[in-house]
Amino acid sequence: MGRAVVICDFDGTVTETDNIISIMKKFAPKEWERLKDLVLSQKLSIQEGVGSMFSLLPSHLREDIVGFLKQTVVIRKGFPEFTEYCRSNDIPLYIVSGGLDFFVEPLLKGYVRQAEIYCNKADFKGNAIKINWPHSCDQYCDKDCGCCKPSIIRKLVEHDDKVVVIGDSITDLEAAKIADIVFARGFLAEKCSSLGIPYHEFNTFTECLELLSELKEVEV
């Protein structure tokens, strides 16, 4: 049996709330709501929708956004223990996020190394925030994901690895489709249920740790 490799979402998964939604509610004009609805209904690609949402925000808001998140973000219960468990048991843990480096990396400092974070990059050179997409879809994905989680999985795992996906939203759906084990909550749990994708519902990382430890005990 191969090793377990954990692919974990950030916004709304590691954190109690979706940081992109929190940013938009606080700083963006009302147009962002229509873009969000189009993304969730899969009428607009994640890359196009999220790119358009951040283009509504002036670049000078960078420090205001980071300060706002540092004051309001709550890390989900059990996450520090979960990261320590993975580290102690040589289970690779990657944070794969559709969020942006300028807030994802500072909020994860002390939990995971920067080399273990895959996310989109923010460009503040222009008047509005522009997103660069260093992890776009490979030849096997045509969903215009932005940060393409299935493409990253194909780069990180070996053929006999067990892929463990942890997530909460539409950005995690394509990864869940190719995972061996899915921990889901919120919108992702609803989509998995409607599509017949097996999953374990969770509210805290304590639950994820317990099940992951059970799986490790039965490895041969």
Side-chain angles (χ1 to χ4, degrees):
M1 183 181 293
R3 61 180 183 165
V5 178
V6 179
I7 307 295
C8 183
D9 176 51
F10 180 67
D11 294 296
T13 300
V14 172
T15 58
E16 288 279 355
T17 53
D18 187 309
N19 300 304
I20 292 178
I21 298 298
S22 296
I23 291 168
M24 293 299 146
K25 285 182 177 178
K26 176 71 174 178
F27 297 100
K30 283 187 176 181
E31 294 97 293
W32 80 271
E33 295 181 4
R34 181 182 64 85
L35 294 166
K36 175 205 68 174
D37 292 340
L38 289 172
V39 171
L40 291 178
S41 63
Q42 297 177 282
K43 294 177 181 177
L44 194 65
S45 74
I46 294 167
Q47 180 167 327
E48 187 176 355
V50 175
S52 297
M53 279 191 271
F54 273 95
S55 73
L56 298 171
L57 301 177
S59 292
H60 68 76
L61 289 176
R62 176 177 183 164
E63 296 307 321
D64 292 338
I65 292 170
V66 173
F68 165 70
L69 291 178
K70 283 184 174 180
Q71 290 179 349
T72 58
V73 160
V74 176
I75 299 297
R76 191 171 297 278
K77 181 182 177 182
F79 182 68
E81 293 81 4
F82 183 82
T83 61
E84 181 56 38
Y85 176 83
C86 289
R87 204 163 21 245
S88 300
N89 289 274
D90 296 319
I91 299 172
L93 167 62
Y94 299 99
I95 304 299
V96 184
S97 171
L100 301 179
D101 57 345
F102 80 101
F103 66 82
V104 173
E105 291 174 359
L107 294 174
L108 281 171
K109 190 173 182 180
Y111 295 110
V112 298
R113 296 178 301 162
Q114 190 167 331
E116 298 163 337
I117 302 171
Y118 290 78
C119 63
N120 300 311
K121 306 294 183 183
D123 181 347
F124 295 92
K125 297 185 185 74
N127 292 328
I129 299 174
K130 179 183 176 183
I131 302 180
N132 294 322
W133 313 95
H135 309 295
S136 297
C137 301
D138 63 15
Q139 61 181 314
Y140 303 107
C141 183
D142 61 358
K143 302 295 185 182
D144 198 21
C145 300
C147 181
C148 183
K149 299 188 180 188
S151 299
I152 292 170
I153 289 170
R154 284 187 279 270
K155 289 178 183 177
L156 293 175
V157 305
E158 299 172 3
H159 73 280
D160 59 344
D161 289 339
K162 281 201 169 294
V163 178
V164 180
V165 166
I166 308 176
D168 79 307
S169 74
I170 189 68
T171 61
D172 305 301
L173 180 58
E174 297 305 315
K177 289 178 180 178
I178 64 171
D180 295 292
I181 301 163
V182 178
F183 296 108
R185 57 177 306 279
F187 187 83
L188 179 63
E190 294 173 15
K191 292 298 288 186
C192 285
S193 182
S194 65
L195 294 172
I197 300 171
Y199 70 97
H200 304 275
E201 192 157 9
F202 76 98
N203 288 307
T204 71
F205 275 89
T206 305
E207 297 161 296
C208 299
L209 190 159
E210 289 171 354
L211 186 52
L212 195 61
S213 64
E214 289 174 11
L215 294 170
K216 187 168 178 61
E217 286 174 7
V218 299
E219 286 183 3
V220 294

